[in-house]
Amino acid sequence: MFAAYVTLTILASAFTAIAAFTYLTGHDYPKAQLDMKRLPHSWMPRLGTVLAAGSVGLLVGFAVPLVCTLASAGLVLYFVGALIAHLRVGSRNLVGWAVFFVTVVAELVVSLSYHGVW
C-alpha cells in the first residue's frame, strides 16, 4: 500500500505542478482553454495558484498526512469545477480532464486507505 501511496502522490503532484506552471507562465494552451470555456484570462494566475497549492500540499502530506488528504480533496473539487466549465459550454473533449481527475481521485482514495479516514 505504501508504494501505491507514494507513486500516486508523486504522480498527481507532478501532473498538477506541470498544469500550474503552464497557467502561471501564461502558456497558450491554458489561454485557449479559458477562451473555449468563455472564462476571463484574469483567472489564469488564480487557477495556477490553486493547482500549485494542491501540488505542494500533496508533497507536504508525506510529513503531515492531513494536509495530503485536504489537498487531494481540494484538487478533486477543482477538477469537478473544470468538468462543469466544460459541460457548460458544450465541450465534449474531456480526455485531458479525465486523466487529471482519475489521478487525483485515485490519490485521494489511496491516501485515505493508507492513512485512515482521519
Side-chain angles (χ1 to χ4, degrees):
M1 180 57 90
F2 178 72
Y5 165 66
V6 169
T7 302
L8 279 170
T9 300
I10 291 173
L11 185 65
S13 179
F15 279 4
T16 54
I18 291 167
F21 179 78
T22 62
Y23 273 85
L24 293 172
T25 59
H27 192 270
D28 289 337
Y29 182 75
K31 289 178 184 176
Q33 288 294 305
L34 288 173
D35 290 341
M36 183 264 299
K37 295 170 191 151
R38 292 185 232 129
L39 298 171
H41 285 212
S42 63
W43 286 23
M44 276 184 59
R46 293 178 189 117
L47 295 173
T49 302
V50 169
L51 287 168
S55 179
V56 171
L58 293 176
L59 297 177
V60 169
F62 286 124
V64 184
L66 179 61
V67 174
C68 182
T69 303
L70 294 175
S72 298
L75 287 168
V76 167
L77 292 175
Y78 175 92
F79 288 110
V80 167
L83 175 64
I84 292 168
H86 272 278
L87 297 177
R88 182 179 61 87
V89 296
S91 170
R92 299 295 185 253
N93 184 9
L94 299 173
V95 174
W97 169 85
V99 169
F100 281 95
F101 185 72
V102 168
T103 303
V104 297
V105 167
E107 199 288 325
L108 176 60
V109 169
V110 170
S111 176
L112 287 173
S113 297
Y114 181 71
H115 294 297
V117 176
W118 286 134

